[in-house]
Each structure stands twice: as C-alpha cells, then as structure tokens.
Amino acid sequence: MQTFGLVQAGACPFRGRGRAIDRYATAFFTKKADLAALVCDDWVVLSERHGVLDPEAEVEGIDRAFDELEPAEQARWSMEVVADVASRVRKHEYDRVVVFADRPTRNALKERGGLLSRVSAAGAKTIEPLAGIGGPDRQERWLDEQLEIRRDADDPTAADLEADLGETA
C-alpha cells in the first residue's frame, strides 16, 4: 500500500527564500511533517500561498493563515489543491491520503474542493488523523505520542495509524 501525506503549513515565521520544510519550521508543522515522513511513502506541504509544495521546493517565506483568506480565495485554493492531489494519487497509485491539517482547512478541502470524492475516484481512501482531537495544543500532544510510538516501531505505517484512530473518511 502506498500512502501520500498532506501537511498543512501555517503562517511562515521566516522571511526570505528557502526550502519549504525550513520556511514553515514551526514546532507544530515540524511534528506533523515528522509523522508524515514516518507513516507516508511521500508527503507534501500545503501552503496557503503556494498550494501543494514538495518539502524541498524553494519558496518565498511569507504566508497567511488559511482562515485569513477570503471565502472565494479559500474555494479557489481548495479546488486547485484537490486537483493536484487527485492527479498525484492517480499517477503514483496511492491507496491512502493522510491529511494533517486543521478543521477549517480540512473542511474547505472537503466541501469546496471535493477532496473525499475526488480522492476516492482516483483510487485512494482519505484519513484525517487530527479530526476530533481538539485544538492545536491537544493535537501537538497527540503528535508527540504518535512520534514516540512510531520512531521505535519496525513498520510505522499509515495503516496502523488508521487502525489506532478507528476513524476514516
């Protein structure tokens, strides 16, 4: 099974040009990225300014938070991101798409971009591990726990992440 991760970046704390993984390197983003690297075969950064980015892509480090975008901008962004994700799912034959994003972003991707139906039509299942966990503080604690468990595991896959959650979309 091939798994593809989507890791939401927040507002960028750094100015200037650099790799996406470095430009968005807040503690919260890094935890999500570290878990995605452990449980996913491939993963990308979701940037409100740039859309879908490979972690090594060179970007300008200025971004807004997703909820600061106008509703029309959120809808356009969601449709573009989902089109890119569905294309990658088909191209690489991913079985699962794991979304490490906050509720407003997940909802926009699902409601405005058609994430669930388009990913399903492309042949994959969507997993939302941060859904139902609460706010950023509780999510960070959960990420810390998952990282600790999986760093020592022989095979830290998204399949067991899905089983641990008992939640799939």
Side-chain angles (χ1 to χ4, degrees):
M1 293 190 141
Q2 292 289 312
T3 304
F4 185 50
L6 310 177
V7 179
Q8 179 187 13
C12 181
F14 305 105
R15 295 201 181 273
R17 202 152 175 78
R19 296 180 321 152
I21 196 167
D22 298 328
R23 296 293 90 188
Y24 296 108
T26 63
F28 191 35
F29 170 80
T30 300
K31 289 173 186 182
K32 292 184 288 187
D34 288 350
L35 186 56
L38 284 171
V39 301
C40 300
D41 297 292
D42 298 305
W43 64 277
V44 293
V45 176
L46 297 183
S47 160
E48 284 69 24
R49 179 176 183 192
H50 304 288
V52 178
L53 293 168
D54 291 316
E56 298 295 322
E58 289 282 320
V59 296
E60 195 65 35
I62 299 173
D63 239 351
R64 297 183 288 175
F66 185 76
D67 57 1
E68 292 175 6
L69 299 177
E70 295 295 325
E73 291 176 296
Q74 289 181 1
R76 181 186 45 72
W77 180 88
S78 298
M79 288 185 285
E80 289 173 3
V81 164
V82 171
D84 188 325
V85 169
S87 173
R88 290 175 190 236
V89 167
R90 281 189 298 278
K91 179 179 178 182
H92 300 287
E93 299 181 351
Y94 295 115
D95 300 295
R96 289 183 173 82
V97 173
V98 183
V99 184
F100 295 99
D102 62 19
R103 182 183 311 194
T105 302
R106 289 191 321 269
N107 287 346
L109 289 170
K110 291 186 295 189
E111 295 166 11
R112 296 179 179 156
L115 179 72
L116 300 179
S117 60
R118 292 182 75 185
V119 165
S120 178
K125 183 180 204 175
T126 303
I127 303 169
E128 300 174 47
L130 299 179
I133 293 179
D137 290 340
R138 291 187 68 191
Q139 290 176 13
E140 280 198 64
R141 283 194 304 274
W142 181 84
L143 288 163
D144 287 336
E145 292 168 4
Q146 296 303 313
L147 285 166
E148 186 175 334
I149 291 166
R150 282 169 174 70
R151 282 187 176 134
D152 295 329
D154 291 334
D155 185 22
T157 67
D160 77 343
L161 180 66
E162 180 180 350
D164 289 350
L165 294 171
E167 282 182 39
T168 58

